[in-house]
Structure formats: structure tokens, C-alpha cells
Amino acid sequence: MAVSNSYVVIKAHIDGSPKESDFELKSESISLLLDSGSNDVILKNLYLSIDPYQLNRMKSQSSSQIYSTLAAAINPGEAINGYGVGEVLVSGNPEFQKGDLVVGLITWGEYSVIKPGGMLRKLELMGFPLSNHVGILGFSGLTAYAGFFEVCKPKKGEKVFVSAASGSVGNLVGQYAKLFGCYVVGCAGSKEKVELLKEKLGFDDAFNYKEQTDLKATLKRYFPDGIDIYFDNVGAEMQEAAIANMNLFGRVAICGVISEYTDSGRKAAPDMIDIVYRRIKIQGFLAADFLNVYADFISTTCDHLRAGKMHILEDISTGVESIPSSLIGLFRGHNVGKKMVQLSDT
Amino acid sequence: MAVSNSYVVIKAHIDGSPKESDFELKSESISLLLDSGSNDVILKNLYLSIDPYQLNRMKSQSSSQIYSTLAAAINPGEAINGYGVGEVLVSGNPEFQKGDLVVGLITWGEYSVIKPGGMLRKLELMGFPLSNHVGILGFSGLTAYAGFFEVCKPKKGEKVFVSAASGSVGNLVGQYAKLFGCYVVGCAGSKEKVELLKEKLGFDDAFNYKEQTDLKATLKRYFPDGIDIYFDNVGAEMQEAAIANMNLFGRVAICGVISEYTDSGRKAAPDMIDIVYRRIKIQGFLAADFLNVYADFISTTCDHLRAGKMHILEDISTGVESIPSSLIGLFRGHNVGKKMVQLSDT
């Protein structure tokens, strides 16, 4: 008994902006009969999270690749993994049974064969749809929660600026910050996204960065009393402008710098003299370092959701063949909220 | 009864590298008779600390000036203040008596008239020479101590890199780090300074940055296992190179960026992708924020000094007229250790 598995690979390393021709759909046959003694788990993939960091793994060389399991290099022709949810079809692992819903590192395909030691755990739905577990209740949510509360250490009333604010992490940072009692301004790349931030997500204000020519002056207008916390998703000029408008003891949490991923020559050069005199702290982080707050994150977020206090923004494409365009779209600002691909019906 | 007071002013704001012609020696007469009811304190200035940050106060505009009392703007023709020690000649303030030795903000001159509210406190010599209280037991020492222990939060065995390592703060950071049990490499700008770091101060290794063309490769050679802590005194390319060689959860403490003070176009643009994946923290700080550890700093440092475990590097010029060249020399690498000017014999 076997299934035909379509999956996505890269044809060559990608060092600039990704395009459709960089990817290829391959097909293989996967036997659903495990060898005797095998501890493999075979999944039907259901939802796959699409995240900007994957592009860094596809570069021809990245000094950072060695520093994180999540950032292990992706080689041409080889299967790609990413965060997602699936359903167990066959299990040689006593921890999982046929029919279990699981979350962890699955493949960019229709099926996953998870070897022992793969990052996988049983999923408790807790009354929320499957897709939520890939976004707001998954790593995007934890990134926003841990980054805001643990890295930024906010105080009520502080002024918070979020870039890529309609993105998977940014929209949640803004919502957490508002619920916590901060003043929140976000920036995004279209009029529609700006409206969404202000009208639906409750941001105090928002602007379209593409309409601005002088980002320092723009932020000065939106933050006449200065910025206390900058949640940086983009890097480059926006980071420089935010730091130039920062208050004493300001904090910058960086979970990604999407504008620098496709252009290695584009780098933030914040004013270090400001950083000294204003005692600014800049900190890079990954959500995986904050599993200690995972239980808090889940319970707080579920409470907010059940009370109708948080909005869920999901941007779902369908079918394995839509994975490349979904990734590409992240770098063109196509997504609104959490980008994911539904690979199969449950 | 009056004294003639020579003091140094700037003739105009200084926006590049400082030079002798930017400064002027002025003279005034100071009455040693206080008006009835005056709370002024008149000091004979003894030792004045010469610090790079003073140049930032002399610029025509600095957004950072508003953020720190220590960084208040210096205007042409006006008296300049700086950290130093003096002897009370006349006091209208009941806290101070004639003959008291005091430490705090004195003027760049032979005498200081300290108004009520001026930063001044009685000095306890604790058996150490006066000059030590301007350097190793003053703000330079506190900057090194607080920056290393409170900002960098070192662990024994960690790899520490110090730039401007023969400077007033750098040499102390290196010594504290060695005494704490870290592996320490410093860089400096001459063969003699490099020898001093290795032979006298006990650095594990040191190099002359002026002899290096590829700083990233240089640091890779000196830190094959990566840098855990970078104590940044210079900014610019050296900071970029240090961050490129940094380990997971590395920390960068920035107390100043001397190479950027004289050239506003020269800025560090560290790789933010490295900062994210390696979870690097960059923090600007001022010693004044760490008065909570002042008592620890003094007791630890005095113990080390009495046990002969720390070396004192002081670079002392004599006479008010040597103040400009002393400041200028900081930006040309002339000083070895703590630069100060002795203004009078005790």
C-alpha cells in the first residue's frame, strides 16, 4: 500500500528575491507499510506554516545556518521542512496512534515521514480550528508573546511601534500590546492593511510606509513623545528611524529583518551614539528559546480568544502547488496576517 | 580677596576631529569672599578627567544632548564641566568645609565655583592617591565594572573581546574579566600598547588593529571558538566584525563609540540576521545608571588593588593649558590608560 506524494524543492540556492522558477514540484511514492521495527511516523499533512526565515535557509551560504536547528540549510532537490499540523496515518512510534493530530516539523508536501527524534507532539485542539494552531496558537503567536513580554518587558502606557504590523507576528504583537495597556502604532504596506490595523485590530494609529519619504520624520509625527518599544520585523531604514525616535531605556526586539533577507547589501546602521546616550537595548531572539512561557502564552491567548478580545488573521492558500507562491508573496507584501497552506482536508 | 582663574573654552562648535585652534584659554577673577547667604563652594581644581564623550557635547547639534545631564551641550565661550577632584577653598554650603577634598563635576580650569545642586561629594581617599579617584576608582572604573558585570553578565570561562583595550575603560574591563575567569583578547593601536596588554595587564592575547586589513578574519583567528562578550568602545567596522564572530546569546555592551564621534558618516551596520539567529543582545549604557553597584565596585576594586591584582594605568598631563591637547590626544590614540590633567599640587 502506497501513496503518491507531491512535494516542493528548490532547484538551486536562492540569494535574492525568490521567484516561481526557483521551485519545482516533485513526486514520489511513499509506502504506508513500515518495515518491522521502524519507529517512523507517516503523516497526512494538513496545514503548513509559511515563514520568511525559510528563505535564509535557501541561500548558498549563511553563517547563521549553523546556529539553529530551525535554520539548517535547505539544499536543492531535497525535501524541505517547516512548522505545521498533520494527521497520523501510520505509526511505528508508541507515542502516536493512527488518527492522532500532531504539530511540529512536517515537510513541504502532501505527506511527511517523520523519523525518530523529529520534532512532533500531539495536538490538543482546545476548541480551536486546526489552522489556528499553525498561527496564533503556534510559533507566530509564541514569537509575538515572548518577544513582546519577555524581550521588551513592557510597562503599561508605554509607546510601542510595530513594523510589518499586518504580518503573522506583527498583528499579534500589536494586539497583545493594546490588551496590555500600551499605545500602539503599526506600519504596513497598503491602505487596506492600514485600515485593518486601525479599524479591526484596534491599533491607536497606523501608516503606510510606502507613502513616506522620511521615515524619521514620520515616526516623529506618530510618536511626538518618543518610542519606548520597537518590535522589529523588517530591519534596514525602518530600524534606524525607530532608534532615532527612541526614548531613554528603549528596547528593540528583533525576530526577523525581512527587508534584509532578499538583499544582503541592505543593512540597518542605527546611530550607536543614540544607543549609548539613550541606553537602548537591541535584542535578537527566536521563539524556541522561550518554551518556558509556552503554557502562559497558550492560556493567556486562549482566554483572549474565548473572550473575543483578539482577532485572528489567517491567509490560507490551498494545495501543495501553492507553497512557492505563498513564500514568494511574503516578500512582496501579499499576505495579510498568518500565511499558511492547507494541504488536505481533515 | 580674589584669584585669577585660567579656564578652557571652545571657540566654536566642533563637528569633526578636534584641533588646538578650536580651543581658547580665558582668564577671569574669582572673588574668594562669598556674598552673605551664598551656598556656593569654591574649589581649587586638582585633577580633571579627560573623556571622549566631551566631544559630543561640543557638536553644533546632537539629538543625544537632551538625554543626559552629563551630555548637556557645551557652548562656545562658556565654562566647561567635567569629572574631577578638587579642594574646598571657601564654602557657603554646610556640607563642605575649607580643606575638604571633593569629587564631582568641576570646571575645565584652575578653580571651580559650584552652585547649590552641583554634583559634588566629599572624597574618602581610602589610602589611594588622588589621581586614582579620577580613574580606576571614579567613573572610568564604574563604567568598566558595571558594564562588564551588570550589562554583559559574564560566566566564568567565556570569551571576551575588548576594543580600545589600553584606554581608560578598556584596560579595566580586561583586568576585571581576567580576574573573574574569562578568556580576554584586546585590541589597541600600537605595538607598545599591545605589549602592555599582554605583558603587564595579563590579557590572554592582543593585537594592533592598524596592522589588520580584514577585521572579521582577524577576530576569527583570535577567537576560533567565537566571542561571547564584546565590550565596545569604538563602534564602526570593529563592532561589525565582533558581531560576525559572536556566539549564540552573545552580548555587546557599548559605553562609547569613539571612532564614530569624529565622523558622523561612520556607522556600524552589524548583520541583523546574525543578531536574530544568534540571539545577540546589544546594549548602550552609562555608568551613572549603575550607582546601585557603586559600593560593590569600590570594595571589589580596592580589594584587588590592595592585593596587587590590578594595575593602574594613568596618563597625566599638567596644567590647565594642557587640557585641549589631552582631549585631542584621545582621538589620536595618544593616551595609555586613564587620561587626566593635574591642575594644581595638593
PDB file of all heavy atoms in Angstrom, chain B residues 21-54:
ATOM      1  N   SER B  21      43.334  74.734  17.658  1.00  0.00           N
ATOM      2  CA  SER B  21      42.755  76.050  17.361  1.00  0.00           C
ATOM      3  C   SER B  21      41.256  76.120  17.662  1.00  0.00           C
ATOM      4  O   SER B  21      40.670  77.201  17.595  1.00  0.00           O
ATOM      5  CB  SER B  21      43.016  76.417  15.898  1.00  0.00           C
ATOM      6  OG  SER B  21      42.411  75.456  15.047  1.00  0.00           O
ATOM      7  N   ASP B  22      40.649  74.984  17.995  1.00  0.00           N
ATOM      8  CA  ASP B  22      39.232  75.005  18.383  1.00  0.00           C
ATOM      9  C   ASP B  22      39.050  75.526  19.813  1.00  0.00           C
ATOM     10  O   ASP B  22      37.929  75.820  20.227  1.00  0.00           O
ATOM     11  CB  ASP B  22      38.628  73.592  18.317  1.00  0.00           C
ATOM     12  CG  ASP B  22      38.517  73.075  16.894  1.00  0.00           C
ATOM     13  OD1 ASP B  22      38.283  73.896  15.992  1.00  0.00           O
ATOM     14  OD2 ASP B  22      38.681  71.849  16.693  1.00  0.00           O
ATOM     15  N   PHE B  23      40.161  75.591  20.555  1.00  0.00           N
ATOM     16  CA  PHE B  23      40.069  75.907  21.982  1.00  0.00           C
ATOM     17  C   PHE B  23      40.751  77.246  22.291  1.00  0.00           C
ATOM     18  O   PHE B  23      41.583  77.722  21.536  1.00  0.00           O
ATOM     19  CB  PHE B  23      40.737  74.797  22.806  1.00  0.00           C
ATOM     20  CG  PHE B  23      40.069  73.463  22.615  1.00  0.00           C
ATOM     21  CD1 PHE B  23      40.485  72.602  21.593  1.00  0.00           C
ATOM     22  CD2 PHE B  23      39.020  73.075  23.440  1.00  0.00           C
ATOM     23  CE1 PHE B  23      39.862  71.372  21.408  1.00  0.00           C
ATOM     24  CE2 PHE B  23      38.403  71.843  23.251  1.00  0.00           C
ATOM     25  CZ  PHE B  23      38.824  70.984  22.237  1.00  0.00           C
ATOM     26  N   GLU B  24      40.413  77.781  23.421  1.00  0.00           N
ATOM     27  CA  GLU B  24      40.961  79.061  23.829  1.00  0.00           C
ATOM     28  C   GLU B  24      41.091  79.057  25.343  1.00  0.00           C
ATOM     29  O   GLU B  24      40.221  78.539  26.048  1.00  0.00           O
ATOM     30  CB  GLU B  24      39.995  80.167  23.391  1.00  0.00           C
ATOM     31  CG  GLU B  24      40.507  81.554  23.562  1.00  0.00           C
ATOM     32  CD  GLU B  24      39.473  82.574  23.063  1.00  0.00           C
ATOM     33  OE1 GLU B  24      38.346  82.171  22.698  1.00  0.00           O
ATOM     34  OE2 GLU B  24      39.783  83.759  23.048  1.00  0.00           O
ATOM     35  N   LEU B  25      42.158  79.659  25.829  1.00  0.00           N
ATOM     36  CA  LEU B  25      42.349  79.799  27.270  1.00  0.00           C
ATOM     37  C   LEU B  25      41.844  81.183  27.669  1.00  0.00           C
ATOM     38  O   LEU B  25      42.281  82.186  27.097  1.00  0.00           O
ATOM     39  CB  LEU B  25      43.836  79.644  27.608  1.00  0.00           C
ATOM     40  CG  LEU B  25      44.199  79.263  29.035  1.00  0.00           C
ATOM     41  CD1 LEU B  25      43.620  77.912  29.429  1.00  0.00           C
ATOM     42  CD2 LEU B  25      45.718  79.261  29.202  1.00  0.00           C
ATOM     43  N   LYS B  26      40.926  81.239  28.584  1.00  0.00           N
ATOM     44  CA  LYS B  26      40.426  82.525  29.049  1.00  0.00           C
ATOM     45  C   LYS B  26      40.809  82.734  30.512  1.00  0.00           C
ATOM     46  O   LYS B  26      41.245  81.798  31.194  1.00  0.00           O
ATOM     47  CB  LYS B  26      38.895  82.594  28.894  1.00  0.00           C
ATOM     48  CG  LYS B  26      38.460  82.696  27.441  1.00  0.00           C
ATOM     49  CD  LYS B  26      36.959  82.657  27.279  1.00  0.00           C
ATOM     50  CE  LYS B  26      36.306  83.990  27.620  1.00  0.00           C
ATOM     51  NZ  LYS B  26      34.876  83.992  27.201  1.00  0.00           N
ATOM     52  N   SER B  27      40.642  83.936  30.954  1.00  0.00           N
ATOM     53  CA  SER B  27      41.026  84.251  32.333  1.00  0.00           C
ATOM     54  C   SER B  27      39.937  85.111  32.968  1.00  0.00           C
ATOM     55  O   SER B  27      39.290  85.905  32.290  1.00  0.00           O
ATOM     56  CB  SER B  27      42.363  84.978  32.311  1.00  0.00           C
ATOM     57  OG  SER B  27      42.827  85.152  33.626  1.00  0.00           O
ATOM     58  N   GLU B  28      39.753  84.913  34.238  1.00  0.00           N
ATOM     59  CA  GLU B  28      38.753  85.715  34.968  1.00  0.00           C
ATOM     60  C   GLU B  28      39.251  85.860  36.403  1.00  0.00           C
ATOM     61  O   GLU B  28      40.146  85.127  36.840  1.00  0.00           O
ATOM     62  CB  GLU B  28      37.398  84.990  34.956  1.00  0.00           C
ATOM     63  CG  GLU B  28      37.454  83.670  35.703  1.00  0.00           C
ATOM     64  CD  GLU B  28      36.144  82.876  35.713  1.00  0.00           C
ATOM     65  OE1 GLU B  28      35.131  83.383  35.228  1.00  0.00           O
ATOM     66  OE2 GLU B  28      36.181  81.741  36.227  1.00  0.00           O
ATOM     67  N   SER B  29      38.647  86.755  37.090  1.00  0.00           N
ATOM     68  CA  SER B  29      38.970  86.915  38.502  1.00  0.00           C
ATOM     69  C   SER B  29      37.820  86.335  39.317  1.00  0.00           C
ATOM     70  O   SER B  29      36.651  86.588  39.023  1.00  0.00           O
ATOM     71  CB  SER B  29      39.144  88.408  38.812  1.00  0.00           C
ATOM     72  OG  SER B  29      39.357  88.570  40.191  1.00  0.00           O
ATOM     73  N   ILE B  30      38.140  85.496  40.276  1.00  0.00           N
ATOM     74  CA  ILE B  30      37.110  84.904  41.134  1.00  0.00           C
ATOM     75  C   ILE B  30      37.316  85.413  42.555  1.00  0.00           C
ATOM     76  O   ILE B  30      38.393  85.246  43.135  1.00  0.00           O
ATOM     77  CB  ILE B  30      37.192  83.363  41.121  1.00  0.00           C
ATOM     78  CG1 ILE B  30      36.847  82.822  39.731  1.00  0.00           C
ATOM     79  CG2 ILE B  30      36.263  82.765  42.172  1.00  0.00           C
ATOM     80  CD1 ILE B  30      36.891  81.305  39.636  1.00  0.00           C
ATOM     81  N   SER B  31      36.276  86.027  43.091  1.00  0.00           N
ATOM     82  CA  SER B  31      36.356  86.506  44.469  1.00  0.00           C
ATOM     83  C   SER B  31      36.268  85.317  45.417  1.00  0.00           C
ATOM     84  O   SER B  31      35.448  84.425  45.229  1.00  0.00           O
ATOM     85  CB  SER B  31      35.211  87.473  44.753  1.00  0.00           C
ATOM     86  OG  SER B  31      35.132  87.682  46.154  1.00  0.00           O
ATOM     87  N   LEU B  32      37.111  85.319  46.413  1.00  0.00           N
ATOM     88  CA  LEU B  32      37.051  84.238  47.405  1.00  0.00           C
ATOM     89  C   LEU B  32      36.179  84.642  48.603  1.00  0.00           C
ATOM     90  O   LEU B  32      36.114  83.936  49.600  1.00  0.00           O
ATOM     91  CB  LEU B  32      38.452  83.847  47.855  1.00  0.00           C
ATOM     92  CG  LEU B  32      39.351  83.256  46.756  1.00  0.00           C
ATOM     93  CD1 LEU B  32      40.695  82.835  47.332  1.00  0.00           C
ATOM     94  CD2 LEU B  32      38.689  82.068  46.070  1.00  0.00           C
ATOM     95  N   LEU B  33      35.535  85.788  48.468  1.00  0.00           N
ATOM     96  CA  LEU B  33      34.591  86.202  49.512  1.00  0.00           C
ATOM     97  C   LEU B  33      33.175  85.945  48.994  1.00  0.00           C
ATOM     98  O   LEU B  33      32.769  86.519  47.992  1.00  0.00           O
ATOM     99  CB  LEU B  33      34.757  87.700  49.820  1.00  0.00           C
ATOM    100  CG  LEU B  33      36.099  88.089  50.428  1.00  0.00           C
ATOM    101  CD1 LEU B  33      36.206  89.598  50.542  1.00  0.00           C
ATOM    102  CD2 LEU B  33      36.253  87.436  51.808  1.00  0.00           C
ATOM    103  N   LEU B  34      32.464  85.076  49.684  1.00  0.00           N
ATOM    104  CA  LEU B  34      31.101  84.784  49.239  1.00  0.00           C
ATOM    105  C   LEU B  34      30.145  85.852  49.732  1.00  0.00           C
ATOM    106  O   LEU B  34      30.335  86.419  50.806  1.00  0.00           O
ATOM    107  CB  LEU B  34      30.650  83.420  49.785  1.00  0.00           C
ATOM    108  CG  LEU B  34      31.410  82.200  49.275  1.00  0.00           C
ATOM    109  CD1 LEU B  34      30.821  80.932  49.915  1.00  0.00           C
ATOM    110  CD2 LEU B  34      31.308  82.105  47.759  1.00  0.00           C
ATOM    111  N   ASP B  35      29.129  86.128  48.922  1.00  0.00           N
ATOM    112  CA  ASP B  35      28.073  87.033  49.379  1.00  0.00           C
ATOM    113  C   ASP B  35      27.388  86.405  50.592  1.00  0.00           C
ATOM    114  O   ASP B  35      27.313  85.182  50.716  1.00  0.00           O
ATOM    115  CB  ASP B  35      27.023  87.222  48.268  1.00  0.00           C
ATOM    116  CG  ASP B  35      27.590  88.020  47.109  1.00  0.00           C
ATOM    117  OD1 ASP B  35      28.623  88.709  47.307  1.00  0.00           O
ATOM    118  OD2 ASP B  35      27.018  87.939  46.002  1.00  0.00           O
ATOM    119  N   SER B  36      26.868  87.249  51.443  1.00  0.00           N
ATOM    120  CA  SER B  36      26.149  86.753  52.613  1.00  0.00           C
ATOM    121  C   SER B  36      24.970  85.878  52.148  1.00  0.00           C
ATOM    122  O   SER B  36      24.221  86.260  51.248  1.00  0.00           O
ATOM    123  CB  SER B  36      25.663  87.947  53.429  1.00  0.00           C
ATOM    124  OG  SER B  36      24.550  87.592  54.178  1.00  0.00           O
ATOM    125  N   GLY B  37      24.838  84.708  52.726  1.00  0.00           N
ATOM    126  CA  GLY B  37      23.735  83.817  52.356  1.00  0.00           C
ATOM    127  C   GLY B  37      24.036  82.925  51.173  1.00  0.00           C
ATOM    128  O   GLY B  37      23.246  82.048  50.828  1.00  0.00           O
ATOM    129  N   SER B  38      25.165  83.106  50.533  1.00  0.00           N
ATOM    130  CA  SER B  38      25.510  82.264  49.382  1.00  0.00           C
ATOM    131  C   SER B  38      25.803  80.846  49.832  1.00  0.00           C
ATOM    132  O   SER B  38      26.445  80.633  50.867  1.00  0.00           O
ATOM    133  CB  SER B  38      26.732  82.846  48.667  1.00  0.00           C
ATOM    134  OG  SER B  38      27.264  81.888  47.774  1.00  0.00           O
ATOM    135  N   ASN B  39      25.342  79.887  49.039  1.00  0.00           N
ATOM    136  CA  ASN B  39      25.663  78.478  49.322  1.00  0.00           C
ATOM    137  C   ASN B  39      26.727  77.941  48.375  1.00  0.00           C
ATOM    138  O   ASN B  39      26.924  76.743  48.272  1.00  0.00           O
ATOM    139  CB  ASN B  39      24.407  77.616  49.199  1.00  0.00           C
ATOM    140  CG  ASN B  39      23.421  77.891  50.310  1.00  0.00           C
ATOM    141  OD1 ASN B  39      23.801  77.965  51.478  1.00  0.00           O
ATOM    142  ND2 ASN B  39      22.161  78.079  49.954  1.00  0.00           N
ATOM    143  N   ASP B  40      27.382  78.818  47.655  1.00  0.00           N
ATOM    144  CA  ASP B  40      28.412  78.390  46.716  1.00  0.00           C
ATOM    145  C   ASP B  40      29.588  77.724  47.435  1.00  0.00           C
ATOM    146  O   ASP B  40      29.843  77.960  48.619  1.00  0.00           O
ATOM    147  CB  ASP B  40      28.966  79.591  45.934  1.00  0.00           C
ATOM    148  CG  ASP B  40      27.955  80.143  44.940  1.00  0.00           C
ATOM    149  OD1 ASP B  40      26.845  79.570  44.827  1.00  0.00           O
ATOM    150  OD2 ASP B  40      28.285  81.155  44.291  1.00  0.00           O
ATOM    151  N   VAL B  41      30.257  76.881  46.667  1.00  0.00           N
ATOM    152  CA  VAL B  41      31.503  76.274  47.139  1.00  0.00           C
ATOM    153  C   VAL B  41      32.574  76.610  46.100  1.00  0.00           C
ATOM    154  O   VAL B  41      32.345  76.423  44.899  1.00  0.00           O
ATOM    155  CB  VAL B  41      31.372  74.739  47.278  1.00  0.00           C
ATOM    156  CG1 VAL B  41      32.697  74.125  47.702  1.00  0.00           C
ATOM    157  CG2 VAL B  41      30.268  74.382  48.263  1.00  0.00           C
ATOM    158  N   ILE B  42      33.690  77.139  46.561  1.00  0.00           N
ATOM    159  CA  ILE B  42      34.786  77.445  45.626  1.00  0.00           C
ATOM    160  C   ILE B  42      35.902  76.424  45.814  1.00  0.00           C
ATOM    161  O   ILE B  42      36.356  76.171  46.933  1.00  0.00           O
ATOM    162  CB  ILE B  42      35.314  78.873  45.838  1.00  0.00           C
ATOM    163  CG1 ILE B  42      34.164  79.881  45.627  1.00  0.00           C
ATOM    164  CG2 ILE B  42      36.473  79.165  44.872  1.00  0.00           C
ATOM    165  CD1 ILE B  42      34.555  81.332  45.898  1.00  0.00           C
ATOM    166  N   LEU B  43      36.286  75.811  44.704  1.00  0.00           N
ATOM    167  CA  LEU B  43      37.299  74.750  44.743  1.00  0.00           C
ATOM    168  C   LEU B  43      38.582  75.187  44.047  1.00  0.00           C
ATOM    169  O   LEU B  43      38.537  75.883  43.029  1.00  0.00           O
ATOM    170  CB  LEU B  43      36.823  73.514  43.979  1.00  0.00           C
ATOM    171  CG  LEU B  43      35.506  72.869  44.323  1.00  0.00           C
ATOM    172  CD1 LEU B  43      35.295  71.649  43.409  1.00  0.00           C
ATOM    173  CD2 LEU B  43      35.500  72.444  45.786  1.00  0.00           C
ATOM    174  N   LYS B  44      39.679  74.723  44.570  1.00  0.00           N
ATOM    175  CA  LYS B  44      40.903  74.671  43.769  1.00  0.00           C
ATOM    176  C   LYS B  44      40.874  73.315  43.064  1.00  0.00           C
ATOM    177  O   LYS B  44      40.797  72.267  43.721  1.00  0.00           O
ATOM    178  CB  LYS B  44      42.132  74.797  44.668  1.00  0.00           C
ATOM    179  CG  LYS B  44      43.441  74.800  43.883  1.00  0.00           C
ATOM    180  CD  LYS B  44      44.644  75.161  44.763  1.00  0.00           C
ATOM    181  CE  LYS B  44      44.961  74.014  45.729  1.00  0.00           C
ATOM    182  NZ  LYS B  44      46.265  74.205  46.416  1.00  0.00           N
ATOM    183  N   ASN B  45      40.873  73.331  41.738  1.00  0.00           N
ATOM    184  CA  ASN B  45      40.811  72.075  40.990  1.00  0.00           C
ATOM    185  C   ASN B  45      42.150  71.341  41.052  1.00  0.00           C
ATOM    186  O   ASN B  45      43.199  71.951  40.907  1.00  0.00           O
ATOM    187  CB  ASN B  45      40.456  72.346  39.523  1.00  0.00           C
ATOM    188  CG  ASN B  45      39.080  72.976  39.370  1.00  0.00           C
ATOM    189  OD1 ASN B  45      38.242  72.857  40.269  1.00  0.00           O
ATOM    190  ND2 ASN B  45      38.847  73.636  38.248  1.00  0.00           N
ATOM    191  N   LEU B  46      42.091  70.039  41.271  1.00  0.00           N
ATOM    192  CA  LEU B  46      43.334  69.263  41.413  1.00  0.00           C
ATOM    193  C   LEU B  46      43.544  68.330  40.214  1.00  0.00           C
ATOM    194  O   LEU B  46      44.560  68.422  39.536  1.00  0.00           O
ATOM    195  CB  LEU B  46      43.293  68.468  42.728  1.00  0.00           C
ATOM    196  CG  LEU B  46      43.142  69.338  43.985  1.00  0.00           C
ATOM    197  CD1 LEU B  46      43.011  68.464  45.229  1.00  0.00           C
ATOM    198  CD2 LEU B  46      44.317  70.301  44.144  1.00  0.00           C
ATOM    199  N   TYR B  47      42.604  67.447  39.952  1.00  0.00           N
ATOM    200  CA  TYR B  47      42.724  66.540  38.804  1.00  0.00           C
ATOM    201  C   TYR B  47      41.416  66.572  38.011  1.00  0.00           C
ATOM    202  O   TYR B  47      40.332  66.487  38.590  1.00  0.00           O
ATOM    203  CB  TYR B  47      42.963  65.097  39.248  1.00  0.00           C
ATOM    204  CG  TYR B  47      44.367  64.830  39.735  1.00  0.00           C
ATOM    205  CD1 TYR B  47      44.683  64.934  41.089  1.00  0.00           C
ATOM    206  CD2 TYR B  47      45.373  64.461  38.832  1.00  0.00           C
ATOM    207  CE1 TYR B  47      45.964  64.688  41.539  1.00  0.00           C
ATOM    208  CE2 TYR B  47      46.661  64.207  39.287  1.00  0.00           C
ATOM    209  CZ  TYR B  47      46.956  64.328  40.641  1.00  0.00           C
ATOM    210  OH  TYR B  47      48.224  64.078  41.078  1.00  0.00           O
ATOM    211  N   LEU B  48      41.553  66.643  36.701  1.00  0.00           N
ATOM    212  CA  LEU B  48      40.389  66.649  35.810  1.00  0.00           C
ATOM    213  C   LEU B  48      40.441  65.413  34.912  1.00  0.00           C
ATOM    214  O   LEU B  48      41.462  65.125  34.285  1.00  0.00           O
ATOM    215  CB  LEU B  48      40.410  67.911  34.936  1.00  0.00           C
ATOM    216  CG  LEU B  48      39.325  68.005  33.850  1.00  0.00           C
ATOM    217  CD1 LEU B  48      37.949  68.197  34.475  1.00  0.00           C
ATOM    218  CD2 LEU B  48      39.643  69.152  32.881  1.00  0.00           C
ATOM    219  N   SER B  49      39.324  64.698  34.848  1.00  0.00           N
ATOM    220  CA  SER B  49      39.214  63.535  33.960  1.00  0.00           C
ATOM    221  C   SER B  49      38.981  64.017  32.531  1.00  0.00           C
ATOM    222  O   SER B  49      38.171  64.915  32.294  1.00  0.00           O
ATOM    223  CB  SER B  49      38.026  62.688  34.422  1.00  0.00           C
ATOM    224  OG  SER B  49      37.769  61.645  33.514  1.00  0.00           O
ATOM    225  N   ILE B  50      39.696  63.424  31.580  1.00  0.00           N
ATOM    226  CA  ILE B  50      39.545  63.799  30.166  1.00  0.00           C
ATOM    227  C   ILE B  50      38.889  62.628  29.441  1.00  0.00           C
ATOM    228  O   ILE B  50      39.462  61.533  29.378  1.00  0.00           O
ATOM    229  CB  ILE B  50      40.911  64.122  29.532  1.00  0.00           C
ATOM    230  CG1 ILE B  50      41.633  65.222  30.320  1.00  0.00           C
ATOM    231  CG2 ILE B  50      40.738  64.515  28.068  1.00  0.00           C
ATOM    232  CD1 ILE B  50      40.967  66.586  30.280  1.00  0.00           C
ATOM    233  N   ASP B  51      37.687  62.857  28.928  1.00  0.00           N
ATOM    234  CA  ASP B  51      36.887  61.750  28.387  1.00  0.00           C
ATOM    235  C   ASP B  51      36.380  62.050  26.980  1.00  0.00           C
ATOM    236  O   ASP B  51      35.962  63.175  26.695  1.00  0.00           O
ATOM    237  CB  ASP B  51      35.687  61.514  29.308  1.00  0.00           C
ATOM    238  CG  ASP B  51      36.124  61.167  30.717  1.00  0.00           C
ATOM    239  OD1 ASP B  51      36.664  60.063  30.895  1.00  0.00           O
ATOM    240  OD2 ASP B  51      35.974  62.008  31.626  1.00  0.00           O
ATOM    241  N   PRO B  52      36.328  61.026  26.134  1.00  0.00           N
ATOM    242  CA  PRO B  52      35.891  61.227  24.746  1.00  0.00           C
ATOM    243  C   PRO B  52      34.489  61.824  24.605  1.00  0.00           C
ATOM    244  O   PRO B  52      34.231  62.571  23.674  1.00  0.00           O
ATOM    245  CB  PRO B  52      35.911  59.799  24.159  1.00  0.00           C
ATOM    246  CG  PRO B  52      36.855  59.039  25.012  1.00  0.00           C
ATOM    247  CD  PRO B  52      36.737  59.633  26.386  1.00  0.00           C
ATOM    248  N   TYR B  53      33.589  61.478  25.539  1.00  0.00           N
ATOM    249  CA  TYR B  53      32.205  61.933  25.371  1.00  0.00           C
ATOM    250  C   TYR B  53      32.094  63.455  25.346  1.00  0.00           C
ATOM    251  O   TYR B  53      31.127  64.010  24.825  1.00  0.00           O
ATOM    252  CB  TYR B  53      31.308  61.357  26.476  1.00  0.00           C
ATOM    253  CG  TYR B  53      31.376  62.070  27.792  1.00  0.00           C
ATOM    254  CD1 TYR B  53      30.540  63.158  28.059  1.00  0.00           C
ATOM    255  CD2 TYR B  53      32.282  61.686  28.776  1.00  0.00           C
ATOM    256  CE1 TYR B  53      30.606  63.835  29.274  1.00  0.00           C
ATOM    257  CE2 TYR B  53      32.355  62.348  29.978  1.00  0.00           C
ATOM    258  CZ  TYR B  53      31.520  63.423  30.224  1.00  0.00           C
ATOM    259  OH  TYR B  53      31.591  64.088  31.421  1.00  0.00           O
ATOM    260  N   GLN B  54      33.093  64.123  25.909  1.00  0.00           N
ATOM    261  CA  GLN B  54      33.029  65.594  25.924  1.00  0.00           C
ATOM    262  C   GLN B  54      32.927  66.160  24.510  1.00  0.00           C
ATOM    263  O   GLN B  54      32.306  67.200  24.291  1.00  0.00           O
ATOM    264  CB  GLN B  54      34.271  66.166  26.623  1.00  0.00           C
ATOM    265  CG  GLN B  54      34.398  65.772  28.093  1.00  0.00           C
ATOM    266  CD  GLN B  54      33.501  66.613  29.023  1.00  0.00           C
ATOM    267  OE1 GLN B  54      32.528  67.229  28.587  1.00  0.00           O
ATOM    268  NE2 GLN B  54      33.842  66.596  30.309  1.00  0.00           N
TER     269      GLN B  54
END
